[in-house]
Amino acid sequence: MTGSVVIAGLGPGDDALVTPEVTAALAEATDIVGYIPYIRRIAPRADLTLHESDNRVELERGAHALEMAAEGKRVVVVSSGDPGVFAMASALFEALEAGPAGWLSLDIRVLPGITAMLAAAARLGAPLGHDFAAINLSDNLKPWALIETRLRAAAGAGFAMAFYNPRSKARPHQFARALDILREECGGKTLISFARAVSTPEESVTAVTLEEATPEMADMRTVVIVGNRDTRRVGRFVYTPRSAS
Ligand code: SAH
């Protein structure tokens, strides 16, 4: 039996949003690697080993998955949402690049999942119906100055935006700064939506204007969606028209 690594997205939370090919890969796995809350979503089985890890050790997690595959195991690396969006797929390829050449011939596949911004956008209506940018607001892996530059450029160019990792206990002030920049670039009337724990029992979704928004509306379980100048409400929905004004 030759080993394999599947990098799979578990979607935003609800089991109904896990794709059938991800479910099949999980059923065939001998080993599953991932951050603790994602591993908890996997039903234990006698023939399955679950490897829980901390969120900050993504490169080691990738190397561990590749080592196990080289030993002949069927490994699934799990991320929430889509594995290619601010998640494990890139970490695994970084580990592959830094590792022994033999790993390059392993059976490695990435299985997409429903990313948080798309699940959130669907709840709201269609706020990402025109051009948009997805930005990770965490400065763990890039300098804050670069985040500000990208935020200003995307807002200034009229993109709608989706923000991942908007605010954490470790960096409570940066999101307030991000809101200030958005008010400057987009004006106070632009719609901003806070979608928290989408598709879980704790889900909450709120849409306000930038002048009404406060930093406390976001936490690490929230994806934030800022509209463009044309984004508007229709009844209980928020949508962005397909054509730009
Ligand atoms: N790979 C994931 C993103 C990982 S980064 C994906 O594709 O969705 C983690 C960030 O994703 C969180 O800080 C939050 O901004 C967002 N997120 C993940 N799950 C979410 C959910 N169910 N509801 C709202 N935001 C979510």
Side-chain angles (χ1 to χ4, degrees), residues 165-240:
N165 297 306
R167 187 164 170 265
S168 76
K169 292 197 184 87
R171 40 185 186 83
H173 307 300
Q174 291 172 346
F175 187 60
R177 175 83 189 118
L179 286 178
D180 286 341
I181 292 171
L182 290 168
R183 285 186 201 103
E184 274 172 43
E185 296 289 339
C186 310
K189 301 295 178 203
T190 301
L191 287 174
I192 179 169
S193 304
F194 297 87
R196 182 172 191 277
V198 174
S199 88
T200 79
E202 295 86 48
E203 172 173 315
S204 69
V205 178
T206 320
V208 296
T209 61
L210 275 175
E211 61 194 10
E212 294 163 340
T214 62
E216 298 71 34
M217 290 176 174
D219 67 5
M220 281 304 274
R221 295 190 72 190
T222 308
V223 65
V224 179
I225 296 184
V226 178
N228 68 18
R229 56 189 283 182
D230 300 313
T231 303
R232 50 190 179 252
R233 296 180 193 268
V234 54
R236 64 184 188 281
F237 300 106
V238 173
Y239 92 105
T240 304

Side-chain angles (χ1 to χ4, degrees), residues 36-51:
I36 298 154
Y38 311 149
I39 287 285
R40 296 225 171 99
R41 287 175 56 186
I42 312 293
R45 300 193 303 265
D47 58 345
L48 176 67
T49 310
L50 299 175
H51 305 267

